[in-house]
């Protein structure tokens, strides 16, 4: 399988972290999330490292607690009559501020030892959207993506231009050193060692996940979706993944659903994953689960591309599909009781 993946990607062995498991074993589709009148669904990244063997009980508990905190923050916004956009930003900001996720504070390093962050957000009511790529000094890229959506004539800003816009908007900038974490630096060093060895062995995958995303349906019936990431460890500087690409990593339309994706970004861009799922719901009459499964469990698996999505339909249907060993994920409905899950068998 490694050979095939390598042929397909021709990029970096780091991408193997997302290698899709063979279709026969790809049964990790969430069985029973409820349909909600209003609520929120989130993810904290998908990967083959998300297993009980790789994640200690302490770490497991920390992940669940942080996912639940993010879900409760989004729920509070929605319960108070706030918008889906507000709820998505509230949930994602909490995960960006935690070093546990590959977004904001815990962003992974590029091959040059920098942190380059991507994020996007979309409002399903009016198809308005905002995105930022390759920012290095913005504490909360999802807040900047929202500012692009609401306070500019444009959809996407990159690098210095995005940071200048952040300054103009009065958003919090931090020194680049803010994003330094030992754990992510070690992950970069290991990735570089593997690259030097040209090893065909599967890399340690423990830390190869952590992009965050959220989709909310508010009490007024409006959807929003957002995604934030540091990208992929050892990515070439300047590389931009799917997370800030509207239609690939993020999409929301009140006519169908909202989607936030995580996984091997190059494939998510090529397959326009988030929009494809919404298009299947809108034009082919698929349920949210059918659409998510068709794209993640079939189309992406056939391309040996690993990852997952969280989806919330305009009808309140929730789907969480992933073809990797696990995906950090959770949902919350009007009752305010958060559910968080990590592995494929729960
Ligand atoms: N999709 C992200 C990227 O390719 C990475 C991830 O979701 O883990 O940048």
């Amino acid at each position: 399988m490694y050979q095939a993946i390598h042929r397909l990607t021709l990029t970096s062995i780091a991408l193997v972290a997302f290698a899709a498991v063979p279709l026969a074993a790809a049964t990790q589709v969430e069985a029973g999330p409820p349909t909600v009148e209003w609520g929120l669904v989130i993810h904290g990244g998908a990967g083959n490292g998300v297993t009980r063997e790789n994640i200690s009980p302490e770490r497991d508990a920390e992940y669940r607690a942080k996912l639940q905190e993010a879900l409760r923050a989004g729920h509070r916004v929605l319960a108070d009559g706030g918008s889906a956009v507000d709820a998505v930003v509230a949930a994602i900001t909490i995960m960006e501020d935690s070093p546990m996720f590959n977004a904001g504070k815990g962003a992974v390093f590029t091959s040059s030892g920098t942190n380059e962050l991507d994020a996007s957000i979309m409002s399903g009511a009016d198809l308005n959207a905002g995105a930022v790529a390759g920012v290095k000094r913005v504490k909360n890229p999802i807040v900047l993506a929202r500012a692009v959506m609401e306070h500019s004539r444009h959809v996407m800003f990159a690098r210095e231009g995005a940071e200048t816009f952040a300054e103009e908007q009065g958003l919090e900038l931090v020194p680049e050193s803010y994003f330094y974490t030992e754990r992510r630096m070690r992950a970069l060093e290991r990735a570089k060692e593997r690259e030097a060895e040209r090893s065909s062995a599967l890399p340690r995958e423990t830390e190869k996940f952590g992009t965050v995303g959220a989709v909310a349906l508010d009490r007024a019936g409006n959807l929003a979706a957002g995604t934030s990431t540091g990208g992929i460890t050892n990515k070439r500087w300047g590389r931009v993944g799917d997370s800030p690409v509207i239609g690939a990593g993020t999409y929301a339309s009140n006519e169908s659903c909202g989607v936030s994706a995580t996984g091997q970004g190059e494939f998510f861009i090529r397959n326009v994953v988030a929009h494809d799922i919404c298009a299947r719901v809108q034009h082919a009459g698929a349920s949210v689960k059918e659409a998510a499964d068709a794209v993640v469990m079939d189309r992406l698996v056939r391309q040996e591309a690993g990852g997952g999505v969280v989806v919330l339909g305009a009808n309140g249907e929730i789907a969480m599909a992933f073809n990797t060993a696990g995906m950090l994920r959770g949902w919350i409905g009007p009752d305010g009781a958060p559910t968080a899950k990590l592995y494929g068998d729960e």
Side-chain angles (χ1 to χ4, degrees):
M1 184 168 75
Y2 174 77
Q3 291 291 334
I5 292 161
H6 199 66
R7 221 177 31 244
L8 274 168
T9 64
L10 294 175
T11 47
S12 158
I13 60 167
L15 298 183
V16 176
F18 294 114
V21 291
L23 186 55
T27 53
Q28 295 93 352
V29 182
E30 190 61 38
T35 292
V36 294
E37 197 186 321
W38 53 269
L40 187 81
V41 57
I42 64 173
H43 69 80
N48 288 332
V50 188
T51 63
R52 289 188 178 80
E53 295 72 52
N54 280 334
I55 297 178
S56 68
E58 296 73 34
R59 195 93 186 143
D60 173 307
E62 283 169 12
Y63 276 128
R64 285 177 207 265
K66 195 48 88 172
L67 290 169
Q68 289 173 357
E69 184 187 336
L71 287 166
R72 283 200 196 91
H75 179 270
R76 244 185 333 267
V77 169
L78 297 173
D80 289 349
S83 71
V85 168
D86 285 333
V88 162
V89 172
I92 290 183
T93 301
I94 283 173
M95 294 188 280
E96 283 182 339
D97 287 344
S98 162
M100 286 192 285
F101 300 94
N102 172 19
K105 171 72 184 155
V108 298
F109 286 95
T110 69
S111 57
S112 308
T114 53
N115 305 100
E116 300 182 2
L117 286 65
D118 303 330
S120 66
I121 191 163
M122 184 160 187
S123 158
D126 50 10
L127 304 188
N128 205 0
V132 294
V135 295
K136 293 162 127 181
R137 297 186 301 132
V138 177
K139 182 163 179 265
N140 291 110
I142 194 67
V143 176
L144 178 55
R146 182 194 189 154
V148 172
M149 175 170 82
E150 293 180 344
H151 304 301
S152 85
R153 295 182 286 127
H154 306 298
V155 168
M156 192 175 210
F157 283 116
R159 301 178 70 83
E160 295 85 353
E163 289 175 357
T164 302
F165 182 73
E167 268 168 25
E168 288 168 12
Q169 291 292 313
L171 302 189
E172 188 171 356
L173 297 184
V174 289
E176 290 182 35
S177 59
Y178 168 80
F179 298 106
Y180 181 93
T181 57
E182 281 286 326
R183 175 180 171 222
R184 299 303 190 190
M185 184 45 82
R186 280 203 310 275
L188 173 63
E189 286 161 4
R190 280 198 300 274
K192 281 182 176 291
E193 278 163 23
R194 282 194 303 273
E195 204 173 50
E197 292 163 7
R198 297 230 174 277
S199 161
S200 64
L202 284 178
R204 276 180 49 125
E205 298 171 303
T206 318
E207 290 157 339
K208 296 291 189 302
F209 57 87
T211 289
V212 306
V215 186
L217 175 64
D218 64 28
R219 302 177 82 153
N222 292 317
L223 284 164
T227 311
S228 180
T229 190
I232 289 178
T233 301
N234 202 27
K235 67 182 180 183
R236 258 188 87 121
W237 71 269
R239 176 265 190 191
V240 176
D242 60 313
S243 307
V245 178
I246 295 299
T250 302
Y251 198 78
S253 166
N254 281 4
E255 291 180 312
S256 52
C257 60
V259 180
S260 173
T262 176
Q264 211 170 314
E266 283 69 11
F267 287 88
F268 283 67
I269 294 173
R270 292 177 189 135
N271 288 282
V272 204
V273 163
H275 184 264
D276 188 15
I277 291 171
C278 292
R280 285 168 191 263
V281 171
Q282 186 173 349
H283 303 300
S287 72
V288 154
K289 182 178 184 309
E290 286 164 353
D293 286 356
V295 174
V296 174
M297 311 308 286
D298 183 11
R299 197 172 163 80
L300 289 176
V301 167
R302 278 190 275 121
Q303 296 172 32
E304 298 187 356
V309 295
V310 293
V311 190
L312 183 44
N315 63 358
E317 190 195 346
I318 291 173
M320 304 158 115
F322 52 100
N323 59 34
T324 47
M327 178 167 79
L328 278 52
R329 62 202 187 278
W331 74 86
I332 196 163
D335 67 1
T339 300
K341 299 190 176 199
L342 273 58
Y343 313 113
D345 60 0
E346 63 173 324

